[in-house]
Amino acid sequence: MALFLAVNGMAQHVISGCVTDGRQPLVGANVFVMGTIDGAVTDIDGRFRFQTNREGDVTVRVSYVGYDDFTFTGDVDGMEALDVVLHERAETIDEVVVTASSFSFGKSDNFKTMDARDVVLSGNSCGDVVAALQTLPGTQRVGENGRLYVRGGDSEECQTFINGMHVLMSYGTNVGNTVVRGRFSPFLFKGINFSLGGYQGEYGQALSSVLPMETTDVATSDKFGISLSPLEWNAGGTKAWRWSALSFNADYLDMGLYNKVFPDRYDWAEPYRKLSGEMQYKHDFHTSAHLKSYLGYDYTTLAQHLDGRRLGLKEHNGYFNTTFRTETSRHWTLFAGLAYSTVLNLVDDALTIGDCYRNFRNEIHLKGFARKSLSKALRTTFGVEDYLRNTRFEYSSKASDKSSYRIDYQDIAIFTDVYVRLTGKCFLNTSLRGEYTSYDKRVTVMPRATLSFVPSKRLQASLMAGRYSQVAADDHVVWSGCRLGQSMADHVIASVQFKGKGMLVRVEPYFKRYRRLPLLKDGIYVNEGFGKSRGADFYAETTALLPNLVTTFSYSYNDSKRRSLSDPMEDVPSYATRHNLCITTKYFVRQWKVYVGLSDTYASGRPYHNPQVGGWMNERTAPYNSLDMNLTFLLSPKVILYTSLNNVLGRKNVFGYQFAADGVGRSPVVASRDSFFYIGIFISLKNNKAYDISNF
């Protein structure tokens, strides 16, 4: 009883007050005396009140999710009616994701999130990464080859990187006016980051855009599966261990049966055939050290009867890539990578009967960088890379002597990035990249900067400016006497983007100025070409219209002109379209377990040049339009039936005209076939889902 009276006789001190963010009360903030269990949670008005039996000086802490903690030490008798103002916690420099002028696919917090299944289910893709990217703003539909053309730039101005390492040839091969596919399956990658311009100093040798792709991590279970279709057979799998995994994938494609059932406009002597294989090994040394290795090889053959010739093509395309990334105990991120690309093209009857064309190219790409966050507001990167390139070309015919050349050169680069928080919501990224090309012994310096305002995770605005360079094609360099320097492009891009509930919106105006492009003068290529490209991109995506329905809308306006190669004057490039519009929908019919994908693409007419008496006259084709769709049936967790049809309405899209020597007769440039139908079945033979069969 005496003890009870003593305890209750101890003084009880009241601690009370209000917690706000300076504008409005914060509900649910935690207020407590450190070292005790005495405390309270703020009410709807941000107010709190509790008692403590501590005497003298005490330390009170106030915490709230998303805000910096507030700590106050003082005499407990003076802690009534406290007025506490919390400040929103600034994310560390590594937590802030600036997404201006880029789209991210895969496991990412970036502007647009999409996985491999979404690539496959895109109405126009037929499972091809490149085709899926062509639904985005800034891309232009060039239907006669299917390559990526970005913001008025040629397809060679977009370069592909896997795990940060360059790929010399990222497309499959084919004859003219036939759509090519990307070489790599979307199931290889956990992340695809498509940058339309304004990229940082790490990436070079790309005038317009880059496509960095990150392969999946070490698998946690064994996988094996097959896919079958009338034109393609595939088998793939993974053997997983505790800290590593070994994967393989084999694929054989033969268009022979398809051409018989659905003939195209070509007279095939041998159908398009491709045999390819891939292998990956991944090892985690611990949670912060990772090794990834990839090996891929394609062998392609085809032959067609053309103008009395038997045009025969064979291509060997190999790519090897290995990277190591680790984080040290002092929080340095270190990266080292090696990539080797080799491409051998063999063409018979290329121009005349009996001629032979041989072109062998290879590239070694080395890269290393170190990155460290020096504080919550400052991050730096220093890196170096080296491109070693070799090309051997031979052409011989009965009517002329054999011609050949060989070129070997290096392109050595150093780069640095500094990413700094200027204020709580304002960030500046500055980059400097310098390159040295050995064949002309020139140094190119490229400054780049991005200023971003990120008031919340929903809204951000950015302004980017930078300089970019790219070495000309090998034959142009040789024809210049190895005096043709790098081409240059200056980018200026503004970006505003908003992410709401079930909605994404982005608007980006841009301007590109080209300098030092290759231009043929008096039989020699010189750096006197020039050009410009300006326009605006708009993108919106919503999931709010109907349950299980995803709808995207992208529109691009582009105004570009250039003079390069053999152009007699500055004019609109033949591949450039002024207006580009794409609407896509993906809907899951839950009761039938069916995915329906639709994509409608429109592009205004493309320019073509009609040489007539009196000068050079510019005309335009009819607009391009293609309605594409696919149906994916989930027959069981281990079996998927996939069907797709491109250009459902069978529209004959014309991409230009070829004129006779007198400028009167002309023939349209069209794709080899107006529509393409695909059907395939995907089967998992292990305890995993069918869409994982190729998931390395």
Side-chain angles (χ1 to χ4, degrees), residues 13-15 33 52 54-58 74-80:
H13 302 280
V14 174
I15 298 177
V33 177
T52 182
R54 286 295 181 97
E55 300 284 346
D57 288 345
V58 297
D75 193 313
V76 69
D77 288 329
M79 290 193 177
E80 292 189 51

Side-chain angles (χ1 to χ4, degrees), residues 500-651:
K501 185 177 181 180
M503 178 184 296
L504 303 171
V505 178
R506 169 186 286 169
V507 179
E508 281 193 357
Y510 63 87
F511 176 79
K512 285 194 293 185
R513 181 170 65 100
Y514 291 96
R515 297 181 296 110
R516 297 177 56 80
L517 297 176
L519 183 65
L520 186 62
K521 295 185 70 174
D522 300 324
I524 297 177
Y525 282 101
V526 294
N527 284 116
E528 296 184 13
F530 56 91
K532 65 180 180 181
S533 179
R534 59 188 177 185
D537 297 336
F538 175 81
Y539 178 83
E541 177 179 306
T542 180
T543 58
L545 298 179
L546 286 173
N548 304 320
L549 177 68
V550 180
T551 304
T552 68
F553 176 92
S554 65
Y555 168 75
S556 300
Y557 170 80
N558 177 259
D559 176 21
S560 59
K561 287 186 176 182
R562 68 167 60 189
R563 186 186 180 195
S564 63
L565 303 180
S566 58
D567 295 339
M569 59 187 296
E570 182 184 17
D571 212 336
V572 180
S574 62
Y575 51 79
T577 49
R578 182 152 295 183
H579 302 281
N580 299 271
L581 173 67
C582 184
I583 301 174
T584 71
T585 61
K586 281 176 289 194
Y587 182 66
F588 180 53
V589 186
R590 188 175 298 275
Q591 60 270 33
W592 297 342
K593 295 184 178 180
V594 176
Y595 282 95
V596 181
L598 288 173
S599 175
D600 192 15
T601 304
Y602 167 87
S604 57
R606 284 168 51 182
Y608 64 92
H609 300 297
N610 183 0
Q612 295 183 351
V613 177
W616 194 261
M617 187 175 75
N618 182 275
E619 299 180 0
R620 290 186 179 270
T621 65
Y624 171 94
N625 184 241
S626 179
L627 176 64
D628 312 313
M629 70 174 297
N630 65 54
L631 296 173
T632 305
F633 301 87
L634 307 182
L635 302 181
S636 78
K638 294 188 178 184
V639 181
I640 289 178
L641 177 65
Y642 175 82
T643 66
S644 66
L645 177 60
N646 284 8
N647 197 9
V648 173
L649 303 179
R651 177 184 174 88

Side-chain angles (χ1 to χ4, degrees), residues 40-61:
V41 175
T42 57
D43 61 18
I44 193 170
D45 296 317
R47 298 190 177 279
F48 64 91
R49 178 185 176 86
F50 64 92
Q51 293 181 335
T52 182
N53 57 16
R54 286 295 181 97
E55 300 284 346
D57 288 345
V58 297
T59 299
V60 174
R61 174 165 291 179

Side-chain angles (χ1 to χ4, degrees), residues 156-440:
E156 295 301 321
E157 297 176 17
C158 177
Q159 296 296 309
T160 300
F161 297 81
I162 294 181
N163 296 336
M165 306 307 296
H166 185 244
V167 179
L168 182 62
M169 178 58 68
S170 58
Y171 299 100
T173 188
N174 216 323
V175 293
N177 299 335
T178 303
V179 174
V180 298
R181 293 172 61 87
R183 289 183 58 202
F184 306 104
S185 164
F187 292 100
L188 284 171
F189 306 105
K190 69 174 182 179
I192 302 172
N193 297 292
F194 182 38
S195 177
L196 300 168
Y199 30 96
Q200 298 176 354
E202 178 183 350
Y203 295 109
Q205 290 302 300
L207 282 182
S208 285
S209 60
V210 293
L211 179 60
M213 301 190 287
E214 183 76 18
T215 57
T216 55
D217 296 326
V218 173
T220 57
S221 63
D222 293 349
K223 303 175 183 180
F224 183 73
I226 59 174
S227 63
L228 305 170
S229 78
L231 54 93
E232 188 172 13
W233 299 266
N234 175 281
T238 294
K239 175 61 180 176
W241 295 277
R242 182 177 181 183
W243 298 106
S244 60
L246 180 65
S247 307
F248 76 93
N249 192 56
D251 186 270
Y252 177 68
L253 188 151
D254 190 323
M255 293 293 295
L257 177 61
Y258 190 92
N259 289 339
K260 290 180 180 179
V261 179
F262 304 105
D264 64 5
R265 295 184 172 94
Y266 287 141
D267 180 9
W268 293 97
E270 293 182 13
Y272 180 96
R273 295 187 178 102
K274 185 177 76 168
L275 177 64
S276 60
E278 298 167 300
M279 183 176 292
Q280 287 195 90
Y281 176 73
K282 301 167 188 173
H283 186 86
D284 291 342
F285 294 94
H286 47 75
T287 57
S288 59
H290 313 281
L291 173 72
K292 291 183 177 182
S293 295
Y294 170 85
L295 175 64
Y297 170 75
D298 300 339
Y299 174 62
T300 305
T301 65
L302 60 90
Q304 64 177 196
H305 298 295
L306 181 67
D307 299 330
R309 295 175 286 126
R310 187 184 186 278
L311 174 65
L313 183 149
K314 295 180 181 179
E315 181 182 87
H316 301 265
N317 195 333
Y319 179 71
F320 171 73
N321 172 316
T322 186
T323 62
F324 178 75
R325 185 187 296 264
T326 186
E327 184 173 332
T328 69
S329 58
R330 297 191 177 185
H331 303 295
W332 280 95
T333 298
L334 304 178
F335 174 90
L338 163 68
Y340 176 72
S341 300
T342 180
V343 182
L344 173 60
N345 291 107
L346 309 169
V347 184
D348 296 321
D349 287 6
L351 301 175
T352 62
I353 296 176
D355 70 358
C356 297
Y357 169 96
R358 304 288 186 270
N359 191 18
F360 176 68
R361 293 179 293 159
N362 61 71
E363 173 190 87
I364 298 175
H365 181 209
L366 305 170
K367 179 191 285 187
F369 67 74
R371 177 178 295 141
K372 182 176 176 61
S373 295
L374 301 176
S375 69
K376 290 185 177 182
L378 179 63
R379 184 179 70 206
T380 62
T381 301
F382 303 93
V384 59
E385 66 178 348
D386 189 6
Y387 292 88
L388 298 94
R389 291 172 172 166
N390 166 265
T391 297
R392 286 177 285 170
F393 170 86
E394 293 181 0
Y395 177 79
S396 61
S397 70
K398 297 177 180 179
S400 63
D401 294 332
K402 180 178 178 180
S403 61
S404 64
Y405 69 75
R406 175 169 180 164
I407 180 172
D408 300 88
Y409 69 89
Q410 281 183 272
D411 183 80
I412 304 172
I414 58 173
F415 57 89
T416 180
D417 289 324
V418 178
Y419 193 21
V420 60
R421 182 196 300 273
L422 300 178
T423 65
K425 307 295 183 182
C426 193
F427 303 85
L428 176 65
N429 177 215
T430 59
S431 300
L432 186 65
R433 181 180 178 93
E435 294 189 5
Y436 169 80
T437 47
S438 62
Y439 68 81
D440 65 348

